[in-house]
Amino acid sequence: GVGTGKVFHYITGKFDCHQRVYRITDFRSDLNGKFFHLLFSRLFYDRIMSMTAKSSVDSVRMEIISDMELVVPSSIREQEVIAEALSDADAAIESLDSLIAKKRAVKQATVQQLLTGRTRLPGFTADWKEVRLGEHASFFKGNGLSKSRLIDDGPQQCVHYGELFTHYGPVIETVSSKCFAFEGSFKSL
């Protein structure tokens, strides 16, 4: 199916597996299982894609796996050291991902507290007031701007709708696209 060649697990100990799962085990003494897992999980998807014209494979036959050729260090110790180094890198990344998730949660809580006025920063005690946004900012609605109208050296900076999802983050500090200004390019709301 769609996940073919993309999902790999390294497990030590006893386990059972689903009928559509291949378990590769009982490695010879000259092949480290963890090293094999790391190498195989990096290369197998490309092998699957090279053997099919479609974007996904309905099934993987045993010979697709067993006939796969891999280049491995002849030294089992080198395999172990490589596997250990890559596992250490993965552990460091997971630790950083966990820390980032915690920091995001703290930030989200801080945003909730500060932007609702429930928590105040030191030195600020004045009441918050209710305002109408239209009295404090100007609003414009852009016209349709096709991608073909974007040019490298146009006189007008512009943000194309598609770029909002592919090029820019939540805050746009520098506009990178340009176009020629055209009549009615902006509508005031």
Side-chain angles (χ1 to χ4, degrees):
V2 175
T4 300
K6 297 180 182 176
V7 179
F8 302 91
H9 299 283
Y10 180 79
I11 303 171
T12 56
K14 292 183 177 185
F15 67 96
D16 199 3
C17 56
H18 187 269
Q19 67 183 1
R20 293 189 178 118
V21 172
Y22 282 100
R23 180 174 60 189
I24 304 171
T25 187
D26 298 327
F27 295 96
R28 290 184 353 191
S29 62
D30 61 346
L31 183 60
N32 177 273
K34 183 67 173 177
F35 174 84
F36 169 79
H37 167 261
L38 294 166
L39 182 63
F40 185 79
S41 61
R42 182 178 169 273
L43 300 175
F44 188 65
Y45 182 76
D46 289 341
R47 176 163 172 80
I48 290 293
M49 290 300 106
S50 73
M51 301 180 89
T52 182
K54 4 184 235 181
S55 61
S56 66
V57 177
D58 295 326
S59 64
V60 175
R61 294 178 310 283
M62 184 75 75
E63 59 274 4
I64 291 175
I65 298 172
S66 63
D67 290 345
M68 186 172 173
E69 292 184 11
L70 301 171
V71 177
V72 300
S74 56
S75 164
I76 189 76
R77 181 66 188 136
E78 184 176 3
Q79 293 174 33
E80 291 167 352
V81 170
I82 290 170
E84 187 176 320
L86 294 176
S87 294
D88 288 350
D90 283 340
I93 290 168
E94 285 180 32
S95 176
L96 288 173
D97 286 344
S98 176
L99 180 62
I100 289 168
K102 288 177 185 174
K103 297 291 184 186
R104 282 193 175 124
V106 168
K107 181 197 171 196
Q108 185 59 36
T110 303
V111 165
Q112 183 68 20
Q113 294 294 312
L114 289 175
L115 295 183
T116 59
R118 280 185 255 167
T119 298
R120 303 295 301 273
L121 294 174
F124 296 93
T125 58
D127 290 338
W128 284 34
K129 62 182 179 180
E130 192 170 304
V131 298
R132 182 176 297 281
L133 192 53
E135 296 171 3
H136 293 272
S138 298
F139 297 86
F140 298 94
K141 179 172 178 28
N143 273 345
L145 176 65
S146 69
K147 196 171 183 180
S148 65
R149 295 192 68 144
L150 301 179
I151 55 175
D152 291 333
D153 58 352
Q156 179 70 46
Q157 290 184 325
C158 60
V159 176
H160 187 263
Y161 176 76
E163 293 174 329
L164 293 174
F165 305 99
T166 60
H167 185 73
Y168 296 112
V171 176
I172 300 174
E173 295 188 19
T174 304
V175 175
S176 59
S177 293
K178 297 185 187 254
C179 66
F180 283 111
F182 54 95
E183 185 69 27
S185 60
F186 298 100
K187 295 178 185 173
S188 180
L189 294 178

